[in-house]
Amino acid sequence: MAISIDTPVQYLKGVGPKLGEVLRKRGIATVEDLLHWFPRTYEDRRAIRSISSLEPDQYVSLVADVIGVRSATLGRSRRRMYEIIVADKTGRIACKYFRVPYKGYFERFQPQDKVRVVGKVTEYRGRIEFHHPDVHHIRDEDEDDDALIPLYTETEGLSPAKLRKIIDTALTALMEAKEEPKPKLRPDQDPKYLPKPERMLVEPLPEWICSDYKLPDLPNAIREIHQPPKHTSDLFLNFKAPAQRRVIFEEFFWLELLLATKRAGLEKEDAPALKCKGELVGRLVESLEFHLTGAQQKAFKEIAKDLAHPHPMHRLVQGDVGSGKTMVALLAAVHAAECGYQTSLMVPTEILAEQHFKNAVKRLEPLGMRVALLTGQMKASERQEVYAGLESGEIHLVVGTHALIQSEVKFKNLALVIIDEQHRFGVAQRMSLKEKGLSPHFLVMTATPIPRSLAMTVYGDLDVSIIDELPAGRQEITTRVTYDSKRPQVWDFVEKQIRNGRQAYVVYPLVEESEKIDLKNAVEEYEKLQARFPDFKLGLLHGRMKPAEKEEVMNQFRKGELHILVATTVIEVGVDVPNANIMVIEHTERFGLSQLHQLRGRVGRGEFKSYCVLVLGYAVSDESRQRAQIMEKTSDGFKIAEADLELRGPGEFMGTRQSGLPGFKMANLVRDLGILQEARQAAFRLIEKDPQMNLPENHLIREQLAHKQASVIG
């Protein structure tokens, strides 16, 4: 049977229904999926080492015998650590695992089994060891010892040798297959009913891109990645091989091409040109009790210039915690109102919506603007009143949560859509709000500084304004890292601050105790803290509480009626209490850097010296310690974001489901920034030359782009 890249993988020779199901569970349904399951790393069989010769930070391969397998509990945690102890004639070494690849993984290894160990040597407490190396039985292997062997993610029910054999079979079959001619269309036949020709493994990029960017052709690049030449280990292990560069380039290229076509389409849409004298904006600026920073003024000028154009603005405003993005958004809303149009401001939480609403009422109602709040928890009668005001045009600015995208919400003349904390919303939610207006202008804001490489992918179709100055009076926050054992001293320090008239936040990663993870939780610790601080009033705030309960607790804390607020990350965004000057974050290892930075930004908002204490749990990883130390060293959100991206990867950094970020198979946004820039340049050049991709050289690109879009939607 002839195969194509669309052939179900079970029909490959040597696979069948049972193994096909194993692969399908790994997300491998077709031959194309199989060929894009790239090696995690490579084993250089020529570099076999002895245990006594190992040194820290070396990536090595060795042959040894299993001495034993054991597991242990980590400190007071319920998490387990597993060890495979191996030895050769020169010594022994532990292979440590802090997670189980799959059920039954460690039971495969018995004393006296001969194995290959491939991984990076790590030094821990004066000893060398492996962390999560590849360990596989020698008897499973049949390759030449003088070879560079691709290593894939471990899969239960599929040995490494079997997987390599299946991939080799697919490559051979595809290289021998010939592309079928496109079926001819009869005069009476509708093209959409023609059978689709089988897609083959061919070069999709036009010749000028491959030439200008020095790219090998795709079929040979994929073959070489799975069957690397013997003497290229340094290149392949460091993702510097031309074949790897070719695949990385293409992964970035498809994304950037989508962004380029989207941007080209936006420039053709009609939008209201918001041109007016700016008198109302001037009155707002004069009413402020502070001066706008230079960065705020620059950002608003960029926005006002965009709003004056007859096609939709698509602009991202990035600003660090407390940099004054909200005021820039209000200036834009006032500008729209003066020009006779409405604005909607959508935020992720009810607490933040109410805070923005109160701020907008205070600033804008004296100017004659009507501001409304719309959330899911409002009474039906209150919502109906807002609906009527929006449809009649009496409401100039509406602040709300997801309630804004409900079908009942209709605007008279919505011209500006503002979304705060952009990465919290899915693409469909953002587009639903955008469609409430006739191609409205679109402004998104985030207090999570986005590294340049991520901005070029997630926000590649947006113009970017950066607010990189903090308003006068913002306090520098002293950050200190400590451990579980030092908690009594932490509480003594908190008590001292409260007795001096201040307030404190204590943040936990869980609401209630988990059976699977031994972490301190907000509910249980709230009770313990009440016993520790009998003279003070404490409040509890978490996401499972009803909105009215949350608002009541926050109001008590704002008014100073509560001394300590025990909370989960529900306070991460938008909570502003100037008298609160100390933040204690428990189990810091459970938070990402950008999340820690957001939480820290809840203090330092008043005139008082402020502090953030990061408490690490037991047996934390080196990466967790690194994160905490970065927080100690800098308060620059952009530096923190770069470090967070490097440590955790883009999916974890953004929250993959919300971000719309693609799951790259080989590309790495930190390591491959240079290739990303080249791919972006190539994509935008192609659209500039041929916006509709009608040239013969671009037909295959147009077909594949449509296929990729359909697979994402489907």
Side-chain angles (χ1 to χ4, degrees):
M1 165 184 163
I3 70 164
S4 73
I5 60 175
D6 294 317
T7 300
V9 72
Q10 74 181 68
Y11 295 122
L12 276 174
K13 184 180 178 182
V15 181
K18 188 175 179 181
L19 196 48
E21 180 62 18
V22 170
L23 290 166
R24 192 188 62 76
K25 286 179 179 177
R26 295 289 317 198
I28 300 167
T30 66
V31 170
E32 183 176 34
D33 297 333
L34 179 69
L35 296 184
H36 284 81
W37 189 9
F38 296 120
R40 204 165 43 77
T41 187
Y42 295 85
E43 175 189 359
D44 187 352
R45 289 280 171 84
R46 297 170 306 120
I48 294 292
R49 301 286 297 275
S50 64
I51 292 174
S52 64
S53 70
L54 301 183
E55 294 181 7
D57 298 324
Q58 292 179 331
Y59 196 92
V60 301
S61 168
L62 60 88
V63 174
D65 296 312
V66 173
I67 299 298
V69 179
R70 64 190 183 195
S71 66
T73 302
L74 292 171
R76 296 184 186 178
S77 167
R78 295 177 187 172
R79 291 188 302 141
R80 300 190 73 77
M81 182 268 293
Y82 293 83
E83 285 185 325
I84 302 173
I85 312 298
V86 300
D88 64 10
K89 293 178 180 178
T90 68
R92 63 167 60 191
I93 190 168
C95 305
K96 291 186 177 179
Y97 298 80
F98 301 96
R99 58 184 180 274
V100 182
Y102 56 78
K103 189 177 179 181
Y105 181 84
F106 296 104
E107 285 79 354
R108 301 181 308 149
F109 300 102
Q110 301 297 325
Q112 276 76 60
D113 284 357
K114 190 165 283 295
V115 294
R116 291 186 190 276
V117 180
V118 184
K120 187 178 180 181
V121 183
T122 300
E123 184 173 14
Y124 180 69
R125 294 185 175 178
R127 292 185 179 181
I128 58 167
E129 57 194 31
F130 289 105
H131 291 176
H132 293 270
D134 282 285
V135 180
H136 43 263
H137 290 94
I138 296 288
R139 64 174 181 270
D140 288 341
E141 307 300 318
D142 58 1
E143 290 92 350
D144 184 354
D145 275 352
D146 183 21
L148 186 61
I149 307 299
L151 299 176
Y152 302 86
T153 303
E154 286 275 1
T155 299
E156 186 177 9
L158 183 62
S159 74
K162 180 68 173 175
L163 175 59
R164 287 192 281 270
K165 191 170 182 179
I166 293 169
I167 291 173
D168 289 348
T169 299
L171 284 167
T172 301
L174 278 173
M175 295 301 175
E176 292 174 353
K178 293 182 180 178
E179 190 163 7
E180 296 178 12
K182 291 187 178 180
K184 292 182 179 179
L185 186 69
R186 296 195 312 268
D188 61 333
Q189 206 171 9
D190 188 327
K192 69 181 179 183
Y193 294 117
L194 276 177
K196 292 182 180 178
E198 297 285 349
R199 294 188 309 130
M200 307 307 294
L201 186 59
V202 295
E203 176 55 69
L205 300 182
E207 190 177 334
W208 68 266
I209 290 183
C210 293
S211 173
D212 287 4
Y213 296 95
K214 298 179 173 57
L215 303 173
D217 70 273
L218 183 64
N220 281 313
I222 287 181
R223 179 183 53 76
E224 197 166 284
I225 285 167
H226 292 291
Q227 300 170 345
K230 289 183 179 180
H231 305 293
T232 55
S233 61
D234 286 346
L235 290 173
F236 275 96
L237 285 169
N238 292 295
F239 289 87
K240 300 291 186 187
Q244 291 168 313
R245 181 175 174 274
R246 171 64 179 82
V247 168
I248 291 166
F249 181 98
E250 186 166 325
E251 287 191 337
F252 286 141
F253 176 80
W254 292 119
L255 172 66
E256 295 300 335
L257 191 62
L258 282 167
L259 295 172
T261 53
K262 184 178 175 185
R263 185 162 187 140
L266 290 171
E267 290 171 358
K268 293 178 183 176
E269 288 183 22
D270 294 325
L274 306 186
K275 295 180 181 179
C276 44
K277 293 181 180 179
E279 292 176 358
L280 212 56
V281 170
R283 283 173 56 192
L284 173 58
V285 172
E286 287 174 9
S287 72
L288 300 176
E289 65 276 13
F290 54 84
H291 294 293
L292 296 175
T293 65
Q296 284 176 306
Q297 293 176 45
K298 182 174 181 286
F300 177 66
K301 283 179 183 175
E302 290 169 343
I303 291 166
K305 185 178 178 181
D306 285 354
L307 292 175
H309 291 152
H311 54 77
M313 168 181 74
H314 268 62
R315 183 168 288 277
L316 168 70
V317 175
Q318 285 194 70
D320 214 337
V321 177
S323 62
K325 297 178 302 304
T326 305
M327 183 49 62
V328 172
L330 292 182
L331 289 168
V334 170
H335 181 84
E338 184 174 346
C339 296
Y341 290 92
Q342 294 169 295
T343 298
S344 67
L345 170 56
M346 186 173 174
V347 299
T349 67
E350 300 219 355
I351 288 176
L352 186 53
E354 297 207 12
Q355 187 167 302
H356 277 331
F357 170 67
K358 289 173 182 174
N359 189 29
V361 167
K362 174 185 171 184
R363 303 289 185 191
L364 306 189
E365 288 198 343
L367 305 176
M369 287 178 62
R370 185 176 166 195
V371 182
L373 176 69
L374 187 62
T375 68
Q377 298 301 318
M378 291 169 60
K379 294 177 182 176
S381 58
E382 294 173 330
R383 287 202 301 272
Q384 289 300 327
E385 187 179 337
V386 175
Y387 296 158
L390 291 173
E391 197 162 4
S392 69
E394 293 173 23
I395 294 173
H396 301 97
L397 168 65
V398 60
V399 181
T401 56
H402 294 81
L404 285 172
I405 63 175
Q406 301 305 312
S407 58
E408 298 89 345
V409 180
K410 295 179 175 63
F411 293 85
K412 181 182 180 182
N413 53 5
L414 176 65
L416 176 60
V417 171
I418 304 173
I419 293 185
D420 196 9
E421 289 308 318
Q422 149 92 349
H423 66 285
R424 296 283 188 104
F425 296 103
V427 176
Q429 293 167 327
R430 298 196 292 267
M431 293 310 296
S432 295
L433 187 55
K434 182 177 182 290
E435 288 163 7
K436 297 283 184 183
L438 299 173
S439 290
H441 297 279
F442 200 49
L443 178 68
V444 298
M445 304 191 297
T446 180
T448 303
I450 309 298
R452 187 164 51 121
S453 54
L454 265 186
M456 287 168 65
T457 53
V458 183
Y459 304 123
D461 58 321
L462 277 70
D463 295 306
V464 179
S465 295
I466 295 177
I467 304 178
D468 53 5
E469 287 179 67
L470 290 180
R474 285 285 292 181
Q475 295 289 322
E476 185 72 28
I477 302 165
T478 298
T479 303
R480 292 289 178 265
V481 177
T482 188
Y483 291 86
D484 211 49
S485 58
K486 301 288 185 182
R487 190 171 287 102
Q489 291 93 315
V490 173
W491 298 144
D492 289 346
F493 184 70
V494 169
E495 181 172 353
K496 181 180 177 183
Q497 293 299 313
I498 295 173
R499 293 201 183 279
N500 286 337
R502 306 289 76 76
Q503 292 165 276
Y505 297 99
V506 182
V507 180
Y508 295 92
L510 291 179
V511 177
E512 294 164 346
E513 187 176 1
S514 165
E515 293 181 5
K516 294 182 179 178
I517 312 172
D518 182 24
L519 298 175
K520 295 190 179 297
N521 63 84
V523 175
E524 186 179 312
E525 294 303 311
Y526 168 70
E527 295 169 1
K528 290 181 182 178
L529 287 173
Q530 282 183 312
R532 168 61 182 81
F533 297 105
D535 298 339
F536 302 144
K537 290 184 179 178
L538 282 71
L540 177 64
L541 188 69
H542 58 74
R544 293 186 194 170
M545 293 167 62
K546 293 178 181 177
E549 294 172 333
K550 286 190 277 190
E551 185 56 31
E552 183 182 354
V553 172
M554 274 312 307
N555 279 333
Q556 288 178 320
F557 193 60
R558 286 191 194 102
K559 292 175 184 176
E561 295 170 5
L562 298 176
H563 301 101
I564 299 174
L565 183 61
V566 180
T568 59
T569 54
V570 70
I571 65 157
E572 179 186 344
V573 175
V575 177
D576 191 356
V577 181
N579 189 53
N581 79 323
I582 182 163
M583 164 77 66
V584 179
I585 304 175
E586 291 273 13
H587 280 288
T588 300
E589 69 275 10
R590 298 294 296 180
F591 298 92
L593 266 173
S594 292
Q595 196 175 31
L596 290 172
H597 184 57
Q598 287 276 351
L599 288 167
R600 178 169 62 181
R602 298 307 104 210
V603 296
R605 292 173 168 260
E607 59 188 286
F608 311 107
K609 175 66 182 168
S610 294
Y611 306 89
C612 179
V613 182
L614 306 177
V615 184
L616 290 166
Y618 288 96
V620 296
S621 67
D622 290 340
E623 183 187 309
S624 297
R625 278 189 284 270
Q626 273 182 277
R627 282 205 300 268
Q629 287 161 4
I630 289 165
M631 291 292 295
E632 266 192 326
K633 290 174 185 173
T634 182
S635 58
D636 184 322
F638 289 92
K639 289 181 182 175
I640 287 169
E642 290 284 359
D644 202 12
L645 175 61
E646 193 163 344
L647 282 170
R648 296 200 300 156
E652 285 292 319
F653 177 89
M654 292 297 296
T656 303
R657 284 180 58 190
Q658 287 78 21
S659 70
L661 189 68
F664 297 122
K665 301 287 179 61
M666 185 178 290
N668 179 296
L669 287 167
V670 178
R671 182 192 66 214
D672 304 321
L673 178 58
I675 303 175
L676 169 60
Q677 290 168 328
E678 289 183 344
R680 180 176 176 81
Q681 182 190 65
F684 278 75
R685 281 175 66 191
L686 186 145
I687 293 301
E688 190 178 331
K689 286 181 178 184
D690 184 14
Q692 302 301 318
M693 290 177 274
N694 286 329
L695 293 175
E697 66 181 18
N698 293 330
H699 283 180
L700 193 53
I701 279 193
R702 189 175 64 191
E703 286 177 16
Q704 291 214 15
L705 188 65
H707 177 79
K708 288 177 184 295
Q709 287 173 313
S711 65
V712 169
I713 295 168

